[in-house]
Amino acid sequence: MLGQSSIIRAVSSSGSSVVEDPYFRTNVRQAKENGILVGAYIYSYAFNNAEMKVEIDKFHTAMQALKAEGYTLDMPVFIDYEDPRLYNAAGCPANNTERTNVVRYGMQLLESYGYYPGFYTYYNFAKNYLNYQQLMNEGYDFWLAHYGIS
């Protein structure tokens, strides 16, 4: 029998600042204490590598605190890259290659910190705004939302 699992939001944005989800640590603790396998996701608004590093470092800081309490992740850390601002806001990455490079950098950084990385988006974003197949060919896990399909 497979156990229950949960991918918990760790980091997002509040206005112009990157923030740890206020329930992240509590959700991880409670899930683990109830035998639920845990992974995490970072809802990314990163336009470039520097912004991605801020998001990843915010996540890593939170995980270091949890690790000090004896909590670790069982599943990947996904970079959730899907917000419309990533392709239609001033200053956003100019094309699919730039967006793909930002996601790749984030996953490489997660790997360097000892996490198993992956990326998440929805079908239209993957198809039109990201070189998702390239990242999959490089061996990264891909979690796809494809709404309306049964």
Side-chain angles (χ1 to χ4, degrees):
M1 181 172 128
L2 294 175
Q4 293 181 331
S5 61
S6 180
I7 306 295
I8 300 171
R9 183 174 68 173
V11 171
S12 186
S13 179
S14 175
S16 62
S17 62
V18 175
V19 296
E20 177 185 339
D21 183 290
Y23 301 104
F24 175 63
R25 295 182 202 192
T26 299
N27 288 342
V28 169
R29 288 182 198 108
Q30 289 179 354
K32 298 288 281 185
E33 289 165 6
N34 286 286
I36 297 172
L37 300 175
V38 175
Y41 74 94
I42 298 162
Y43 192 93
S44 179
Y45 295 94
F47 282 9
N48 55 52
N49 289 355
E51 291 175 355
M52 180 62 77
K53 183 169 181 1
V54 171
E55 293 173 352
I56 300 297
D57 285 349
K58 179 68 75 172
F59 165 76
H60 183 57
T61 298
M63 279 309 304
Q64 289 300 101
L66 283 168
K67 187 176 178 182
E69 296 175 32
Y71 297 99
T72 59
L73 298 177
D74 310 294
M75 298 175 3
V77 178
F78 291 94
I79 296 173
D80 181 348
Y81 209 69
E82 63 176 305
D83 197 275
R85 287 179 274 184
L86 295 167
Y87 59 83
N88 70 8
C92 69
N95 56 46
N96 293 8
T97 299
E98 287 184 16
R99 282 184 287 277
T100 301
N101 288 340
V102 171
V103 172
R104 178 186 299 106
Y105 173 76
M107 291 189 295
Q108 289 170 339
L109 192 54
L110 283 167
E111 240 173 352
S112 76
Y113 287 157
Y115 304 103
Y116 186 90
F119 65 105
Y120 167 91
T121 195
Y122 59 94
Y123 179 77
N124 188 55
F125 194 102
K127 183 178 170 193
N128 295 304
Y129 301 106
L130 193 66
N131 298 330
Y132 74 94
Q133 189 64 56
Q134 182 180 357
L135 294 172
M136 289 175 59
N137 291 346
E138 293 170 19
Y140 292 108
D141 282 357
F142 180 30
W143 175 18
L144 175 68
H146 197 17
Y147 305 106
I149 302 299
S150 26

